[in-house]
Amino acid sequence: MNTTTLTALAEPNRLHIIELIRDRGPLTIGDIANRLELNQPQTSKHVRVLHEAGLVEVQPAANRRIIKLRTEPFQELDHWLESFRSMWDDRLDRLDEYLRDIQGRDHSD
Amino acid sequence: MNTTTLTALAEPNRLHIIELIRDRGPLTIGDIANRLELNQPQTSKHVRVLHEAGLVEVQPAANRRIIKLRTEPFQELDHWLESFRSMWDDRLDRLDEYLRDIQGRDHSD
DNA sequence: TTAAATTATTCCTTGAAAGGAATATTCCGT
DNA sequence: ACGGAATATTCCTTTCAAGGAATAATTTAA
């Protein structure tokens, strides 16, 4: 896992920006600033960090910039988490194994 | 999503500690320090942060502390990522739909 | 009880990140 | 070309996290 993704997400305002776009779809800097009650300069700065981290795509449209989510970093994070999933999947795996065991068991005795 | 988990993971050495324990199982402070070539004080400090963030469990054993991974924060992170999964699952969903469409299509003409 | 091993804490310094305020830049419409 | 809107950048200050070095605390062994 690379830490730039995590560092970008670790700042509360940036995390809010990400979740806002996830929920509302692509937004401009001004939209984001309004909805999250941030000043425009700080919003630009945070979006810059998100963009440099590859979390976000920036589409110039005349005067404005439309900010979209990119999928790759989240996929990477998801993939990284797979290496941990066995920690809490064990219980389910055992249940699964148990059920398959039940299925094939000889019930004749 | 809460930022304390992300903040804790965003520091490279701490991320290494997490991955080390994930791969090798529970380790002591000294083990971690040796394997990652960190000084003991910094290792203790980083583990402290990880513990305060709930990422790690600390079991005193005589002179030493045994550091184990906790599952909850990773489960939470996993759950948070689910809200993003549709972003890259859409393509697969459409492919799936396409394939099912192909299957049922009338090829008689 | 003393010594050695393991870990924790404190103090200090440094660097980086974040916000505020002001200003610059870019683009459109007229 | 000019004014206004949207965004970017700069400068400044403050806060905070991280590492180094030294030292404290705890436990075991002898």
Side-chain angles (χ1 to χ4, degrees):
Chain A
M1 188 53 208
N2 83 74
T3 54
T4 68
T5 298
L6 294 167
T7 306
L9 292 173
E11 206 282 328
N13 290 317
R14 284 196 295 263
L15 189 62
H16 289 147
I17 292 176
I18 292 293
E19 290 176 329
L20 180 65
I21 300 181
R22 176 198 60 187
D23 297 339
R24 311 282 191 199
L27 295 174
T28 67
I29 298 286
D31 291 338
I32 296 170
N34 287 334
R35 297 220 186 233
L36 301 186
E37 300 186 1
L38 297 173
N39 296 328
Q40 175 266 316
Q42 342 300 337
T43 305
S44 283
K45 290 178 201 171
H46 281 310
V47 168
R48 188 146 108 96
V49 174
L50 290 172
H51 182 237
E52 285 169 353
L55 285 167
V56 132
E57 181 187 354
V58 179
Q59 278 194 357
N63 227 359
R64 337 192 148 174
R65 306 292 167 104
I66 298 175
I67 317 298
K68 301 182 175 184
L69 279 192
R70 276 170 43 82
T71 63
E72 287 79 355
F74 298 95
Q75 283 176 299
E76 282 181 23
L77 193 51
D78 189 55
H79 178 258
W80 183 71
L81 274 181
E82 290 199 355
S83 54
F84 292 87
R85 276 206 257 275
S86 61
M87 293 197 310
W88 67 83
D89 276 357
D90 278 355
R91 182 178 291 249
L92 292 174
D93 286 353
R94 273 188 249 109
L95 173 63
D96 189 49
E97 197 173 344
Y98 168 75
L99 290 175
R100 261 180 286 125
D101 184 41
I102 287 288
Q103 277 290 31
R105 186 176 296 166
D106 184 6
H107 288 187
S108 59
D109 58 333
Chain B
M1 189 52 204
N2 83 73
T3 53
T4 68
T5 298
L6 294 167
T7 307
L9 292 174
E11 205 283 328
N13 290 317
R14 285 197 293 264
L15 188 64
H16 289 146
I17 292 175
I18 292 294
E19 291 177 328
L20 180 65
I21 300 181
R22 175 198 62 187
D23 296 339
R24 311 281 191 198
L27 294 174
T28 67
I29 298 286
D31 290 338
I32 296 170
N34 287 334
R35 296 220 187 232
L36 301 185
E37 299 186 2
L38 298 174
N39 296 328
Q40 175 268 316
Q42 341 297 341
T43 306
S44 283
K45 290 178 201 171
H46 281 312
V47 167
R48 190 147 109 93
V49 174
L50 290 172
H51 182 237
E52 284 168 355
L55 286 168
V56 130
E57 181 187 352
V58 178
Q59 278 194 357
N63 226 358
R64 336 191 148 172
R65 307 291 167 105
I66 299 176
I67 317 300
K68 301 182 176 184
L69 279 193
R70 275 170 44 83
T71 65
E72 287 79 354
F74 298 95
Q75 282 175 301
E76 282 181 24
L77 193 51
D78 189 55
H79 177 258
W80 183 72
L81 275 181
E82 289 200 355
S83 53
F84 292 87
R85 271 201 266 271
S86 63
M87 292 196 314
W88 66 84
D89 277 356
D90 278 355
R91 182 176 291 249
L92 291 174
D93 286 352
R94 272 188 248 109
L95 174 63
D96 188 49
E97 197 172 345
Y98 169 75
L99 289 175
R100 262 180 285 125
D101 184 42
I102 287 287
Q103 277 289 31
R105 186 176 295 166
D106 183 7
H107 290 187
S108 59
D109 61 331

